[in-house]
Amino acid sequence: MSARILVVDDQASNVRLLEARLQAEYFDVCTATSGEQAITVARAEQPDLILLDVMMPVMDGYETCARLKDDPSTRHIPVVMVTALDQREDRIRGLEAGADDFLTKPIDDVTMFARVRSLLRLKAVLDELRFRESSSAMSGLSGDVHDDVDSTSRVVIVSTDPRSTARYAAAMPVQARVLEVHEPSAAIAAARDAADLLIVDLTANDYDGLRLCARVRSDAATRQLPILAIVRPDDVQDAVRALDLGVNDIVHRPVDAGELAARARTQLRRKRYADRLRSHLDEGMELAVTDTLTGLHNRRYISSRLRQAMDSASNGGAPVSLLLADIDHFKTINDTHGHEAGDQVLRDFSSRLLTGLRALDLAARFGGEEFVVVMPGAGMAEAEIAAERLRSSVAGSDFKLGDGTKVPVTVSIGVAQARRGEAIDSLLRRADEALYVAKNAGRNQVQAADNAAA
Ligand SMILES: [Mg+2]
């Protein structure tokens, strides 16, 4: 995994040392020797990860971290704090400043690269979500929304030792709902049940916690679930294997309640942020292809699908036909009963339209009171039957408004089948001409376009 890493330390020799080790692993490295400079470089270079020395004059690591996390242009970049002292208070202070992880000097390579890979994987996922979100129809997510822990946050704690789970549970944020699991075979089911964080004790001798982590990562239902593993401080190998399996964070035994709480909170917040990005993304995709009033496809979407179907027909595939339907005297309905009534009629019309279609037909609101149905695989005869079915279902019974008023509605429809090699505009024009004929001949009727080759 190639990535750009910003190394920050007030001592140039430390910077050079870390730079050399990272470059040996093919990372791209940029550097800074003060907090001030780190912020400038982070904004300009947008590194994928920051290794930040805590003890620096003027602006120390905590303040630098807090500023980076406060700035919308840098807050998504993971920060690993590098401390000379491994003091509980320092770690908690760092977590409160928004640090994603810690390394203790002297830094051992195995641990550092495992942590770095783990955070880079996480950042890659969030970057992809952020990118897709920014290019989808929804406008940006405000970074100011608070992704905090609340009563919908669910934590599952797995350990065969009930005293341990009780101790970890007591450390969780008070708002979160916590489930203690002592039977590892029940852990997967618990994780699948809408969990937001899984805490796994890897120190037990009587079950294989790493195997559980691997299963959670490979199961589609739990792939995104953050995992926090508890390991023995002397077991560097387990910690590295856990991180490489996709465990998100590690806490050493004996577990400090304050540190566990702070790390759990970080994971829960991150999960919430990623969930929010994903759901906005789904809405964005949906909005890009859907007409919001009727729930039918929109013009842009139907045009691209029509192009595909016409290309396939031109290349010797199945034929494709098109209905262009326009509600008769719609302006009068709006003028007489109001726009809300008009919207109601459009929605009711859409559901009658859908009822009469085949599964592979595509219906769209083309604009105003005009609708298009693309019928892949259908020739003229079939399309005319579908059009007549729609016409009679609309005229067959009155539309009912919200206040119970009954409104008679009719529709005029033009039908055309695509010619070989025909352009979309030409097909739509011929359907429109047929529709015009239907309107002029008294409305509430279907007219077929002349389908002889031009
Ligand atoms: Mg220093």
Side-chain angles (χ1 to χ4, degrees):
M1 187 185 305
S2 184
R4 167 169 287 201
I5 298 180
L6 169 59
V7 174
V8 187
D9 198 304
D10 58 312
Q11 297 197 20
S13 57
N14 284 345
V15 170
R16 279 199 300 274
L17 195 67
L18 263 179
E19 185 179 21
R21 283 154 72 184
L22 289 163
Q23 278 173 343
E25 296 289 321
Y26 304 105
F27 288 107
D28 185 12
V29 180
C30 47
T31 62
T33 50
S34 72
E36 228 27 282
Q37 197 189 2
I39 290 167
T40 309
V41 174
R43 282 199 193 121
E45 304 280 329
Q46 292 288 305
D48 298 297
L49 186 93
I50 301 172
L51 292 177
L52 179 62
D53 182 29
V54 171
M55 302 289 280
M56 294 190 294
V58 193
M59 191 193 295
D60 67 13
Y62 301 119
E63 191 184 341
T64 308
C65 182
R67 290 209 192 177
L68 287 164
K69 293 295 180 182
D70 210 35
D71 182 338
S73 71
T74 53
R75 71 160 53 119
H76 59 285
I77 306 170
V79 173
V80 178
M81 291 203 141
V82 182
T83 59
L85 306 161
D86 195 12
Q87 295 292 322
R88 168 182 193 269
E89 289 73 22
D90 297 336
R91 294 162 83 89
I92 294 186
R93 213 177 140 197
L95 288 165
E96 279 167 0
D100 295 270
D101 215 332
F102 297 90
L103 288 169
T104 309
K105 290 180 181 177
I107 301 169
D108 92 88
D109 279 2
V110 178
T111 307
M112 173 171 76
F113 288 121
R115 295 270 184 182
V116 164
R117 281 193 300 272
S118 158
L119 284 169
L120 288 175
R121 268 196 303 271
L122 170 79
K123 179 164 183 297
V125 171
L126 289 178
D127 280 354
E128 172 66 16
L129 286 170
R130 275 161 27 101
F131 169 75
R132 283 160 56 187
E133 203 274 337
S134 69
S135 55
S136 80
M138 292 293 289
S139 55
L141 273 169
S142 156
D144 300 330
V145 177
H146 227 58
D147 291 306
D148 217 338
V149 181
D150 63 25
S151 59
T152 63
S153 305
R154 242 176 106 91
V155 181
V156 174
I157 303 176
V158 183
S159 173
T160 48
D161 174 14
R163 279 173 314 162
S164 297
T165 60
R167 211 164 46 239
Y168 307 153
M172 289 301 107
V174 286
Q175 308 91 329
R177 288 182 301 149
V178 181
L179 179 67
E180 298 174 41
V181 176
H182 307 125
E183 187 54 57
S185 61
I188 289 279
R192 284 179 144 210
D193 189 18
D196 296 302
L197 173 63
L198 180 67
I199 298 179
V200 182
D201 185 358
L202 297 185
T203 65
N205 296 318
D206 47 358
Y207 86 100
D208 189 347
L210 279 175
R211 190 171 300 281
L212 171 63
C213 296
R215 280 191 60 196
V216 167
R217 270 295 159 269
S218 60
D219 183 338
T222 54
R223 189 162 292 154
Q224 319 285 359
L225 174 62
I227 306 175
L228 200 159
I230 291 164
V231 301
R232 290 197 182 84
D234 51 350
D235 202 340
V236 173
Q237 208 187 347
D238 249 13
V240 168
R241 281 177 67 199
L243 288 166
D244 280 343
L245 271 174
V247 164
N248 303 73
D249 202 1
I250 300 281
V251 175
H252 290 141
R253 265 185 108 155
V255 171
D256 179 280
E259 183 177 343
L260 180 64
R263 288 186 184 267
R265 190 178 286 276
T266 298
Q267 294 300 330
L268 287 167
R269 281 191 184 139
R270 239 185 234 157
K271 165 85 162 33
R272 178 139 307 183
Y273 176 67
D275 285 351
R276 201 155 51 80
L277 277 176
R278 275 190 202 95
S279 79
H280 270 246
L281 207 56
D282 292 345
E283 281 171 32
M285 305 269 219
E286 185 91 341
L287 277 179
V289 302
T290 307
D291 172 60
T292 46
L293 177 66
T294 61
L296 297 181
H297 297 303
N298 63 16
R299 183 181 190 123
R300 187 170 101 190
Y301 179 79
I302 202 79
S303 300
S304 78
R305 294 297 302 271
L306 177 59
R307 182 168 296 117
Q308 286 171 9
M310 288 175 73
D311 285 349
S312 148
S314 289
N315 292 320
V320 54
S321 295
L322 183 91
L323 314 189
L324 190 61
D326 190 274
I327 299 176
D328 297 328
H329 299 301
F330 184 72
K331 190 176 176 304
T332 311
I333 297 173
N334 261 339
D335 291 349
T336 313
H337 304 281
H339 284 277
E340 229 165 273
D343 287 352
Q344 175 70 45
V345 167
L346 291 170
R347 279 193 292 263
D348 195 354
F349 176 87
S350 302
S351 65
R352 293 192 196 201
L353 172 61
L354 287 175
T355 318
L357 298 180
R358 306 168 308 163
L360 61 154
D361 296 338
L362 296 160
R365 180 165 172 227
F366 218 46
E369 65 273 25
E370 198 172 41
F371 295 79
V372 158
V373 179
V374 174
M375 299 183 67
M380 241 355 229
E382 224 177 322
E384 282 183 73
I385 290 168
E388 176 52 31
R389 196 163 50 223
L390 171 61
R391 188 208 60 76
S392 67
S393 91
V394 171
S397 60
D398 289 346
F399 284 44
K400 236 197 241 160
L401 301 182
D403 63 0
T405 312
K406 289 179 175 177
V407 183
V409 177
T410 61
V411 62
S412 301
I413 306 172
V415 182
Q417 179 182 340
R419 296 167 177 152
R420 183 172 289 254
E422 184 173 25
I424 282 195
D425 288 351
S426 162
L427 175 65
L428 283 169
R429 191 170 54 245
R430 291 193 299 112
D432 196 40
E433 282 161 8
L435 173 61
Y436 185 75
V437 172
K439 291 277 186 191
N440 272 346
R443 301 186 167 82
N444 189 24
Q445 58 186 274
V446 174
Q447 288 289 337
D450 174 12
N451 277 302

